[in-house]
Amino acid sequence: VMDGLTKYDHIIGIKEATGDLGFMAQIIQETEGKFTLLSGDDNLIVPVLSIGGKGVISVISNVYPRETGAITRQYEAGNVHEAHQRFMKLLPLCKSMFLETNPIPVKYAASRKGLCENSLRLPMTQLSHHLQAAVAGAMETFERAAT
């Protein structure tokens, strides 16, 4: 599959979001470093880095960009343990971003931080009230752990 894509010089990378680390490793192996593999799943940042991925196209970085970027920066600097610790603190928050269809939870989270208004175009609706508490709780837990 990747062999056909590597012949095009203007294709330099792939966002991989299947969640299948074996398939991702196969992409890296088959493209022999010609492609940059980026995780399309915040829940797999460190595992993807560990198989040769270079970063993440992230949902949670819309709300916590420095904290999310620090994971990749620490990993690339050789501070794997630090990257892992940061990732584990962020992981519950990442999971909360998919309690409903994206971008509903991240829009709510961003609005809680004052980054935007919590308004969406139809057919999307605002985050369910009971899930607002879950996202808010995950944000508060993360912010306490990050300090």
Side-chain angles (χ1 to χ4, degrees):
V1 173
M2 291 298 116
D3 190 41
L5 293 177
T6 58
K7 67 182 179 182
Y8 300 102
D9 292 337
H10 61 283
I11 300 175
I12 60 168
I14 188 166
K15 171 188 173 187
E16 216 305 310
T18 63
D20 184 340
L21 288 171
F23 180 64
M24 293 180 211
Q26 181 182 352
I27 291 170
I28 292 168
Q29 185 177 41
E30 287 182 9
T31 60
E32 299 173 348
K34 294 177 185 169
F35 270 23
T36 297
L37 184 118
L38 300 170
S39 175
D41 186 345
D42 288 311
N43 296 329
L44 293 175
I45 299 170
V46 169
V48 168
L49 293 171
S50 76
I51 61 166
K54 297 299 179 192
V56 60
I57 296 175
S58 170
V59 171
I60 197 61
S61 67
N62 289 289
V63 184
Y64 296 100
R66 274 184 240 116
E67 296 85 347
T68 306
I71 296 168
T72 302
R73 285 190 299 278
Q74 288 294 323
Y75 194 95
E76 291 297 316
N79 302 322
V80 175
H81 181 70
E82 174 71 18
H84 179 262
Q85 286 184 316
R86 289 173 180 264
F87 172 68
M88 295 307 285
K89 288 177 186 174
L90 190 64
L91 188 58
L93 185 56
C94 293
K95 290 183 179 221
S96 78
M97 292 298 104
F98 295 93
L99 292 173
E100 283 191 7
T101 303
N102 185 30
I104 294 171
V106 73
K107 188 82 178 227
Y108 172 75
S111 71
R112 279 193 91 243
K113 288 199 65 162
L115 300 172
C116 65
E117 291 187 23
N118 189 22
S119 61
L120 296 115
R121 290 180 291 169
L122 291 174
M124 301 238 174
T125 59
Q126 291 186 2
L127 187 63
S128 302
H129 185 71
H130 72 283
L131 295 178
Q132 287 180 9
V135 170
M139 290 175 74
E140 290 165 8
T141 299
F142 173 72
E143 289 171 4
R144 277 193 307 273
T147 57

